[in-house]
Amino acid sequence: MAEADRQRDSPKRERILQGALRAFAKKGFYNTRVSEIASEAGVADGTIYLYFKNKDDLLISLFEDRMEWVIERLTTELQAVEGGVLEKLRAFVGLHFQLAIENPDLAEFITVELRQSAKFVKEYENPKFADYLKILQFLIEEGQRGGELRTDLDSRLVSRALFGALDEVLLQLTLARTPPKDVTEETGQISRMIIDGLVHRDEHT
Amino acid sequence: MAEADRQRDSPKRERILQGALRAFAKKGFYNTRVSEIASEAGVADGTIYLYFKNKDDLLISLFEDRMEWVIERLTTELQAVEGGVLEKLRAFVGLHFQLAIENPDLAEFITVELRQSAKFVKEYENPKFADYLKILQFLIEEGQRGGELRTDLDSRLVSRALFGALDEVLLQLTLARTPPKDVTEETGQISRMIIDGLVHRDEHT
DNA sequence: ATTGAATGAATGGGCATTCATTCACCCAAA
DNA sequence: TTTGGGTGAATGAATGCCCATTCATTCAAT
């Protein structure tokens, strides 16, 4: 096949994706030269076009590939959580941050590039991001059915809001390159805020 | 002065900013040609360089200018709100959305471009965005001092999370160009979620 | 007539993409 | 075992487009 994407699993393809991730995280999509990606990946400029149709395609492929991976890890780890929906929600928050800390380039890439790219690279719809949101949404709905969560809030709205909250906090953490000293404390606070709200309550839950 | 920014208030300068806003909202910073901004503003390409040093400077000036305006409106309208901090929080959510709906181009520009631009245009720090966050932060702290809000959450963390939640929900609203049919319902849900949390409580608040 | 603002065609550099060439590997024939 | 040539991957210099920025010239106002 003379087509512009060789076998989906090829060490070279993966090297290119990795190089692109590093480069995009460091300088952003529009400020990254294809030749920089190539040298980061240790291949020739032209080689990239054997695996991807063009720069846009490389960006989108990177999204899909990495998001798929994130979704898979999140799903499995979430299934292993003992306890009710509240416990799972807390775990979700923790996992979201943990994944980001373990993969700083990926975190930076996703938090910073997701929006722009989603909108301007030839109207790409980003189905994987939708999948990610669905995990949250279903978790909320499970809790609503089970009686743990209030039912007067739209699950799609809530899941979006939650994602936004996590994402924004993560953005700061990521950009500041803060050493993750007290992440547990932060995720704890966020979970409490999400679950119990901001309002002050008398001493008894 | 041969300097590249004429009087800060000039109808022509404002026309350029307006043209840039429309263009950036529609196609994003990196996909917008300076000549497009010029024609959108009804000036010659070169004229833009009489008012702004270059394209980056135009972007940043646009941010500063519009954020300043937003902050001012938000501050005044918030001061006019009767009631305690909880009421003000609800008002904040409502105002955030209302401003966005009244200025869709501005909303799209800010939600989509803020992150990227902030990071990649010559390491610009975006002080105005920090100011915006501060409004929220001080509101939270006021509530904590007054006893209406719980004190075990860091006000900076909370304000970021809140902003993120609003921003993400707004992003969808903005991009989908959804007719704002039930915005009141949405803002109501968000306020309730923020203040009272997701957890189900027995019938008595 | 002088001054400063505005114009927009021309310039030049940057960069994605191409493609003629090289390279590495395999196998068939001698 | 050697050789040759066929195949597809990889290379990277060359191409050509695109567009931000400039500046010689024109215009308007006083």
Side-chain angles (χ1 to χ4, degrees), chain A residues 105-120:
Chain A
D105 280 347
L106 182 56
E108 186 153 347
F109 172 62
I110 289 178
T111 52
V112 176
E113 304 285 333
L114 182 57
R115 297 190 169 192
Q116 278 243 345
S117 316
K119 176 150 208 303
F120 296 117

Side-chain angles (χ1 to χ4, degrees), chain A residues 22-137:
Chain A
R22 292 173 64 113
F24 290 161
K26 190 163 24 174
K27 316 184 55 181
F29 177 73
Y30 289 105
N31 290 309
T32 296
R33 312 293 134 238
V34 170
S35 64
E36 290 173 343
I37 297 171
S39 86
E40 190 88 51
V43 301
D45 296 11
T47 307
I48 289 177
Y49 292 86
L50 296 176
Y51 293 87
F52 304 94
K53 193 149 54 64
N54 51 37
K55 197 184 170 193
D56 284 4
D57 181 45
L58 174 53
L59 175 72
I60 294 189
S61 302
L62 183 59
F63 261 136
E64 308 253 307
D65 190 285
R66 297 310 199 245
M67 280 299 273
E68 216 163 298
W69 177 82
V70 167
I71 287 171
E72 188 166 313
R73 269 205 60 180
L74 205 64
T75 307
T76 33
E77 304 229 23
L78 216 51
Q79 263 159 355
V81 172
E82 309 275 324
V85 163
L86 290 187
E87 212 42 64
K88 282 187 181 167
L89 255 183
R90 282 187 268 263
F92 186 97
V93 173
L95 283 169
H96 190 94
F97 275 75
Q98 188 189 327
L99 280 176
I101 286 166
E102 286 172 7
N103 308 275
D105 280 347
L106 182 56
E108 186 153 347
F109 172 62
I110 289 178
T111 52
V112 176
E113 304 285 333
L114 182 57
R115 297 190 169 192
Q116 278 243 345
S117 316
K119 176 150 208 303
F120 296 117
V121 173
K122 55 175 187 161
E123 300 302 329
Y124 169 58
E125 258 308 320
N126 210 339
K128 296 296 184 216
F129 174 60
D131 289 349
Y132 189 88
L133 274 190
K134 281 235 175 302
I135 297 180
L136 248 181
Q137 189 189 329

Side-chain angles (χ1 to χ4, degrees), chain B residues 6 12 44 46-47 50-51:
Chain B
R6 303 244 161 285
K12 197 147 288 191
T47 307
L50 296 177
Y51 292 87

